[in-house]
Amino acid sequence: MTRVFSGIKPTGHLTLGNYLGAMRQWAAVDQHQADALFCVVDLHALTVHHDPARVRRLSRQAATLLLASGLDPALCTLFVQSHVDEHARLSYLLECVATDGEMRRMIQYKEKAAREQRRGGSVRLSLLTYPVLMAADILAYGTDEVPVGHDQTQHVELARDLAVRFNQRYGHTFVVPRATNPSVAARVMNLQDPMSKMGKSDDTGPGIVYLLDEPDVARKKVMRAVTDSGRGVVYDREARPGVANLLEILAACSGGNPEALAGVYESYGDLKRDAAEAVVEVLRPVRERHKELCADPGYVEGVLRDGAERARGMARPTVDAAYRAIGLLPAGSDTGAPVLNAAR
């Protein structure tokens, strides 16, 4: 079977964008059609200033919401990144293959570093190198496909480049992965700033629908969404981004087509009302299942423990092979050096 890997970073509460752009696809399609691994990539949350207790809390919440969204441990492997040492082991080897120039050209590094500097903070080295850790996440498992939003495609391209380079220099070790993008709502935009992604790390709360928002809260946010100047409901991502965002959200929630839906509405108000109700209904089963899972924390812990054990078994042979290929001495091998007397 095709092997699929994808991860979600616990840097904020998960949003409607995470669900429509990724999580629902993972549950409805990927876990049924592929050998699928889904990971809470908590090591990536350490690249900027953070509260340790909050990272732990959000990691557990993310894992619980992934299960609530429909991931089934009998069909896929769900685990936490830091529970599998092979991610960090392989990351260093790939840093020895990657170049400084590649890292500094990464768009997200440029944006996040500039934002951190504007805040008066220092830029951590891990912010520069985390795309290599992301590549390690992917390559450790012999991943064929990585379902990502368009903003993450560059990182998958880096993983491809590093895999090819390693294979050419040290012998064939890694599968070269490819990115796959969902066709509708691959990038849900902020309701108050439709030119910006609806990001879980964002601090503009009114423009973000969180998966655990109460129905009235979610409804109110959609009803207050920014629209555009001009008359009529038209689907035009460039000229009418606010309306296009609402149409894409409604299409993703209802299974429709944004362009076709545009012809149904004569007013922004009707579009907002239907989009709001569609969002509330699509999130209702997720919120209800999350509540059930929170009442049984031992179940979630067991899923993550079993998932980490399974993931470790998949990753270790590939990472061990990479260690041998790059020239590192296997543990326990006979180097021919004299053995010192332990008693001395």
Side-chain angles (χ1 to χ4, degrees):
M1 294 180 68
T2 298
R3 180 162 289 175
V4 168
F5 176 94
S6 199
I8 204 152
K9 188 162 52 173
T11 51
H13 298 288
L14 299 184
T15 73
L16 177 69
N18 297 127
Y19 182 69
L20 295 181
M23 295 164 62
R24 188 172 62 169
Q25 169 84 9
W26 299 349
V29 179
D30 294 332
Q31 68 174 344
H32 297 281
Q33 297 183 356
D35 180 10
L37 298 100
F38 302 107
C39 182
V40 179
V41 286
D42 54 343
L43 295 176
H44 291 294
L46 311 184
T47 59
V48 294
H49 178 73
H50 63 277
D51 173 11
R54 185 170 187 265
V55 171
R56 284 190 291 270
R57 185 169 63 252
L58 290 175
S59 295
R60 178 183 293 276
Q61 184 185 90
T64 306
L65 280 168
L66 287 169
L67 290 170
S69 72
L71 291 188
D72 183 347
L75 299 175
C76 67
T77 302
L78 174 62
F79 64 104
V80 175
Q81 180 189 33
S82 63
H83 295 177
V84 180
D85 293 345
E86 278 64 30
H87 292 254
R89 289 180 61 207
L90 182 56
S91 181
Y92 181 73
L93 293 197
L94 295 180
E95 284 186 12
C96 297
V97 177
T99 68
D100 177 74
E102 284 176 313
M103 296 300 98
R104 296 187 187 279
R105 285 194 297 271
M106 303 301 286
I107 295 171
Q108 289 209 0
Y109 168 72
K110 293 179 180 179
E111 293 176 348
K112 291 181 179 180
R115 185 162 60 243
E116 195 67 26
Q117 289 170 342
R118 284 196 300 271
R119 292 172 178 171
S122 57
V123 179
R124 301 185 181 191
L125 179 62
S126 57
L127 186 61
L128 178 66
T129 60
Y130 93 90
V132 177
L133 176 58
M134 187 180 293
D137 298 338
I138 297 166
L139 299 182
Y141 297 99
T143 303
D144 299 296
E145 295 183 358
V146 187
V148 292
H150 294 289
D151 59 321
Q152 294 291 332
T153 301
Q154 187 185 36
H155 290 147
V156 181
E157 289 301 316
L158 175 68
R160 289 174 56 84
D161 291 343
L162 295 180
V164 169
R165 192 177 305 155
F166 191 102
N167 290 346
Q168 289 175 342
R169 290 181 181 176
Y170 306 113
H172 186 78
T173 306
F174 299 117
V175 173
V176 180
R178 60 185 178 274
T180 58
N181 303 119
S183 57
V184 177
R187 197 177 191 197
V188 178
M189 312 307 281
N190 190 299
L191 294 170
Q192 293 298 314
D193 179 10
M195 300 303 292
S196 300
K197 178 183 173 183
M198 185 183 286
K200 59 184 177 295
S201 304
D202 203 338
D203 55 7
T204 55
I208 304 170
V209 175
Y210 297 104
L211 297 189
L212 296 180
D213 277 346
E214 293 293 332
D216 286 346
V217 173
R219 189 179 288 112
K220 187 179 296 184
K221 288 178 178 179
V222 178
M223 290 300 297
R224 293 179 177 176
V226 168
T227 50
D228 313 289
S229 59
R231 303 180 65 178
V233 177
V234 178
Y235 181 67
D236 186 331
R237 168 56 72 183
E238 297 299 322
R240 309 282 286 278
V243 172
N245 190 36
L246 288 169
L247 287 167
E248 289 191 353
I249 289 172
L250 177 57
C253 290
S254 64
N257 177 279
E259 294 182 357
L261 285 170
V264 174
Y265 295 96
E266 296 182 357
S267 72
Y268 294 157
D270 289 341
L271 171 60
K272 286 184 177 182
R273 276 190 291 274
D274 283 0
E277 291 308 316
V279 166
V280 168
E281 288 307 311
V282 83
L283 295 185
R284 190 182 304 280
V286 178
R287 293 180 63 255
E288 291 175 353
R289 179 58 177 151
H290 177 266
K291 185 176 180 179
E292 294 173 359
L293 291 168
C294 286
D296 187 7
Y299 171 75
V300 177
E301 291 174 4
V303 168
L304 295 178
R305 182 175 57 251
D306 293 345
E309 183 176 354
R310 196 182 314 160
R312 202 175 296 120
M314 295 181 193
R316 184 163 294 168
T318 298
V319 177
D320 285 350
Y323 268 59
R324 291 191 298 271
I326 206 169
L328 299 178
L329 191 68
S333 64
D334 184 2
T335 64
V339 178
L340 298 179
N341 187 330
R344 297 177 59 190

